[in-house]
Amino acid sequence: MPASTEASMTMGAVSAVPVVDSRMAPGGPGYRRMSFALFLAGVATFALLYSTQALLPLISGDFGVAASDASWTVAAATGGLALFVLPMSALSERYGRRTVMTGSLAVAVIVGLLVPLAPSLPVLVALRALQGAALAGLPASATAYLAEEVRPKALVTAIGLFVAGNSVGGMSGRVITGWVAQEWGWRVALGVIGAIAVGCAVAFRLLLPAPKHFVAGSLKPRVLVRTVRGHLSDPLMCRLYAIGALFMTVFGGVYTVIGYRLTEAPFDLPQGVVGSIFLVYLVGTVSASTAGRLVGRLGRRGALYAAGATTATGLVLSLSDSLVLVLLGLVLITGGFFAGHACASSAVSKAATEGRAQASALYQSAYYIGSSVGSTVGALAFHAGGWAGTVGVGLLAVLGVVTITVLGTRAARAQQRLLAA
């Protein structure tokens, strides 16, 4: 047999060998450890980031300030995260996702142990801004890690589990602080959250598998600018960023103000019970973790329509003076928000073919800007028009989500007609 024929047969045999995807998948090695580690990272992130939200009435009373002033303890943290998430994502491109996430959590928990010692509101706000900036290394790096280490078909589910950790952290942080603060004050409550976050951070570092598919990028500013410009010039990316910001505007406004509403007439609930209201975050845990099935059934845009409709229905129900209807409204708002967030954030990760950390960072930046805007504007609206004012801000944001999704649907259909022509 000629050598050339033998070589060609050998090459054909080699090419016939299927390529095995070595990335993680449900049931595969390392997947459970990875999921639990990032779940704990999500718990720590949201527990720290929103640790003062359920305590705002107590902070207002202690420092003698209005709701709109105390709300800066939330807005400063989310604003710090929004400002620093892009630089931190650039560091993760160069030094690795796991390294940046570990360092971010370490700094955040140290600051978290200092927050209860703040002697004044300005110092408290400054520490919260620093804490938010430290936490900026978590969200974008986590989604980029998942996009690189998890198989595409499992990506929405994996990101949903991370978002579910966010919901558990947000819920547990508020419930724990509510009951602890009722007995020992808001400073002790924040100290307890800091200690819990320390445990989550240590477990995260011990459990998270080392990345196998990370390729170090460049820290050159021109490379970063070119990547960011590419993402911002993509209409799909911009729509997803805006959707994330608008969903978070609703969520940030509602949960910043709800404590004030429930401690006032006609409800007059004690602080511990108000904190327990945040158990509805469990709904977010379920809706985020099942977002993959929702997208599979309705498509991405269909899932966003469903999430927006659910959120809007919850906002309207929350206008009632019946505590049962208010709680049902919060359930729907929470479920709709987390489903929409998981859908939009996973779409960003799937759509980005390069610069995934920057793509995720821009989403997270828009998302937390929405949180800061929602916290501040929602509190101002509450001061000016009561709960109806806060609900009005939320409904406008949901209308924005629906409008952007409609525009995206029309753009997709126009593209299909163009390709078919």
Side-chain angles (χ1 to χ4, degrees), residues 82-122:
L83 288 174
F84 280 86
V85 68
L86 190 56
M88 294 295 279
S89 73
L91 291 177
S92 82
E93 290 280 12
R94 180 66 182 86
Y95 298 108
R97 320 302 185 193
R98 190 170 69 161
T99 300
V100 170
M101 287 190 285
T102 301
S104 293
L105 267 181
V107 174
V109 297
I110 291 171
V111 176
L113 297 176
L114 296 176
V115 163
L117 306 177
S120 64
L121 183 62

Side-chain angles (χ1 to χ4, degrees), residues 185-240:
W186 64 268
R187 295 181 185 274
V188 174
L190 291 180
V192 170
I193 292 300
I196 291 172
V198 170
C200 288
V202 172
F204 161 80
R205 185 61 181 83
L206 293 175
L207 290 172
L208 188 68
K212 296 181 179 179
H213 300 88
F214 169 73
V215 178
S218 174
L219 272 178
K220 295 179 181 179
R222 59 184 175 81
V223 176
L224 177 62
V225 170
R226 184 172 65 247
T227 303
V228 170
R229 186 186 298 125
H231 291 317
L232 292 179
S233 64
D234 185 332
L236 171 60
M237 288 294 195
C238 289
R239 288 195 296 269
L240 293 171

Side-chain angles (χ1 to χ4, degrees), residues 49-50 73-83 128 132 248 368-369 371-373 375:
L49 193 63
Y50 292 99
T73 62
V74 179
T78 54
L81 192 153
L83 288 174
R128 293 283 292 147
M248 195 53 164
Y368 286 108
I369 286 172
S371 178
S372 295
V373 170
S375 298

